[in-house]
Amino acid sequence: MLGRIKNPVLILLLALPMFGPAAATPDVDWQRQHFLEVHGRIMRGQAVDVETEIAALQGYVLAPYLEYSYLQRRLATAEKSRVAAFLTEHQELPVAGQLRVAYLQLLARQGRWWDFEQLYQPTSDAELQCHQLRARLARGAIDKSWLEAAEKLWLVGRSQPAACDPVFAELYERDAVSADKVWERVTLLIEGGNVQLAESFRKHLDPARREWLEHWLAGHRRPRQVLERPSFPLVGPFAAQIVTHALRRLGGEDPAAALDFLAHYERDDLLSPAQKANTARDIALRAAYSQDPRALAWLDALPPGVVTDNVRLWTARMALRTQNWPRLLEAIAALPSKDNQTPQWNYWRAHALAATGQQQEAQTEFMLLALERHYYGFLAADRLALPYNLNHVATAIA
């Protein structure tokens, strides 16, 4: 039922402790009922003297939410001073942040940039960040910090809100985005799968890089064909980017073929050792993600320098999937401490110990797990034919 309630005020009201007739005082009962009655009138758009009603509630914990509901329904016509006062006096309320965002968006739509800057607070919201830069732009406050903040918003591997368009247009107008930066964003976009947006940057590239972009797009869409018959010289960093991207793309469809192509390209000097190792890791991981049983051997073949915690985790998962019990024991031991002591891996370590003939050690592990109340504890109890240990503690009644 609560999942269907979208009004934050009613959610908070329902979350408050409800006391029985013996515990509740008449004042609290009246406050609760009066709050609901006034809040209902506000939500129905009826005239309400909110300040008088809040005073009448005499400090009732939800009283400020009457002001919030009133402002939220009348935000377009509310006085800025009244909104600002609420945000200052009740900044600890969960709804204060929602009201600030809604009001800032309204001010931006109305072009009230001075008011916007008065109420703006630093945020991770890209739309509001762009509005804040537009506010600074409106008063001509463009300096090094403005350009750096705008470039940071621009240099991402995804589309940004429409509010950022005037900011980015200013960057282009000032020639503040170098060709290298454009290529850096194209790289982020293609590697993030936003190919269509990457294509739109053709007009910002010089002719040479525009041609490389076409090769890259072909490598993204037809990786096997490009790897078999590249239509560009296999020299330089752009060619290396395209080849490694095509290898990763093919690795998601046919990892064995991708590794064969990688071995072929290892015979020339196009890819650096780090690029070769990182590409091999990405292909092996893609195979593991798709539960390809060959992934374990490919993960084990990686050079130590590119073995990350994610590789260790998927090595353990693939050893488990292929029931390679000796390898699973090694893989669990190599996991970071935050992972190898979890109930899940404790259970599978015990299972692997039993499968490799280490019965006494396995029995001990299963016994320790069976003492705990969780899924793997219950599995261990089943294996030992023991009752589930629910670790029940009776609730003390005062």
Side-chain angles (χ1 to χ4, degrees):
M1 181 65 182
L2 278 177
R4 300 178 183 175
I5 300 175
K6 295 184 178 180
N7 188 313
V9 177
L10 293 183
I11 292 174
L12 282 167
L13 184 66
L14 290 171
L16 286 176
M18 302 298 289
F19 302 99
T25 67
D27 285 344
V28 173
D29 285 337
W30 179 86
Q31 286 175 319
R32 183 180 296 116
Q33 293 303 317
H34 189 66
F35 172 87
L36 286 172
E37 187 269 325
V38 175
H39 183 263
R41 285 196 282 126
I42 291 173
M43 299 307 291
R44 290 190 295 273
Q46 298 174 2
V48 174
D49 185 341
V50 176
E51 292 181 357
T52 299
E53 298 294 357
I54 290 176
L57 285 168
Q58 300 177 343
Y60 182 57
V61 66
L62 292 183
Y65 286 87
L66 294 179
E67 177 76 354
Y68 163 77
S69 297
Y70 183 87
L71 290 172
Q72 189 257 349
R73 286 187 61 83
R74 296 163 178 80
L75 207 53
T77 57
E79 294 180 1
K80 189 196 83 169
S81 58
R82 185 166 181 175
V83 177
F86 178 86
L87 295 176
T88 300
E89 294 170 16
H90 303 293
Q91 55 186 312
E92 78 286 351
L93 295 181
V95 294
Q98 299 172 29
L99 185 67
R100 185 184 300 275
V101 169
Y103 194 55
L104 286 173
Q105 289 173 338
L106 172 67
L107 294 175
R109 288 195 299 272
Q110 296 176 341
R112 295 165 58 186
W113 299 119
W114 189 88
D115 290 338
F116 180 96
E117 288 199 272
Q118 296 300 305
L119 292 178
Y120 177 79
Q121 289 184 348
T123 175
S124 60
D125 185 285
E127 182 179 9
L128 290 180
Q129 289 182 51
C130 283
H131 283 320
Q132 194 264 345
L133 289 175
R134 291 184 65 189
R136 292 172 62 182
L137 182 62
R139 60 182 171 86
I142 299 181
D143 53 17
K144 182 180 178 182
S145 67
W146 189 96
L147 293 170
E148 290 175 348
E151 184 182 283
K152 184 177 180 181
L153 284 164
W154 175 85
L155 191 57
V156 295
R158 61 186 180 278
S159 177
Q160 290 286 44
C164 297
D165 291 347
V167 174
F168 298 161
E170 187 69 23
L171 284 177
Y172 295 133
E173 181 70 23
R174 292 172 174 267
D175 290 327
V177 182
S178 67
D180 288 340
K181 287 295 182 182
V182 174
W183 189 257
E184 188 176 344
R185 186 170 190 199
V186 166
T187 299
L188 292 171
L189 289 168
I190 294 180
E191 291 181 347
N194 295 307
V195 177
Q196 189 172 359
L197 184 56
E199 288 184 87
S200 70
F201 281 85
R202 281 192 183 99
K203 59 182 179 290
H204 298 297
L205 293 170
D206 56 77
R209 296 196 208 213
R210 203 172 298 151
E211 185 176 350
W212 280 112
L213 175 58
E214 297 304 323
H215 293 310
W216 200 348
L217 294 172
H220 180 86
R221 291 167 176 146
R222 301 182 300 278
R224 189 186 301 269
Q225 179 180 327
V226 168
L227 290 169
E228 286 176 345
R229 294 181 299 278
S231 58
F232 49 88
L234 296 176
V235 178
F238 295 157
Q241 276 186 305
I242 295 168
V243 167
T244 54
H245 184 81
L247 286 167
R248 291 187 177 97
R249 289 283 292 174
L250 183 59
E253 306 166 6
D254 189 342
L259 289 171
D260 286 342
F261 276 116
L262 177 59
H264 170 77
Y265 280 97
E266 282 181 343
R267 293 195 288 269
D268 56 48
D269 295 327
L270 175 63
L271 306 181
S272 69
Q275 286 176 316
K276 295 171 185 174
N278 286 325
T279 303
R281 178 189 61 200
D282 292 346
I283 294 170
L285 282 171
R286 286 171 186 261
Y289 299 157
S290 60
Q291 303 296 318
D292 189 319
R294 299 170 295 179
L296 180 59
W298 294 333
L299 290 168
D300 282 341
L302 294 174
V306 296
V307 174
T308 62
D309 286 348
N310 193 38
V311 169
R312 296 183 183 95
L313 179 61
W314 278 97
T315 299
R317 287 173 175 170
M318 293 311 300
L320 173 58
R321 181 171 180 80
T322 57
Q323 297 187 16
N324 187 333
W325 305 118
R327 184 67 186 93
L328 178 58
L329 288 172
E330 296 172 357
I332 293 174
L335 289 174
S337 57
K338 65 181 178 63
D339 292 321
N340 69 10
Q341 293 303 317
T342 61
Q344 174 190 3
W345 291 118
N346 285 339
Y347 175 82
W348 288 115
R349 178 171 48 238
H351 198 96
L353 286 168
T356 54
Q358 303 175 68
Q359 298 300 330
Q360 185 172 347
E361 294 89 340
Q363 189 82 352
T364 301
E365 294 267 6
F366 283 127
M367 284 293 295
L368 291 172
L369 277 168
L371 296 175
E372 300 175 11
R373 176 179 174 172
H374 50 60
Y375 174 72
Y376 290 98
F378 299 156
L379 287 181
D382 285 342
R383 184 180 179 97
L384 299 174
L386 295 174
Y388 295 158
N389 192 337
L390 300 180
N391 295 325
H392 176 68
V393 177
T395 302
I397 300 177

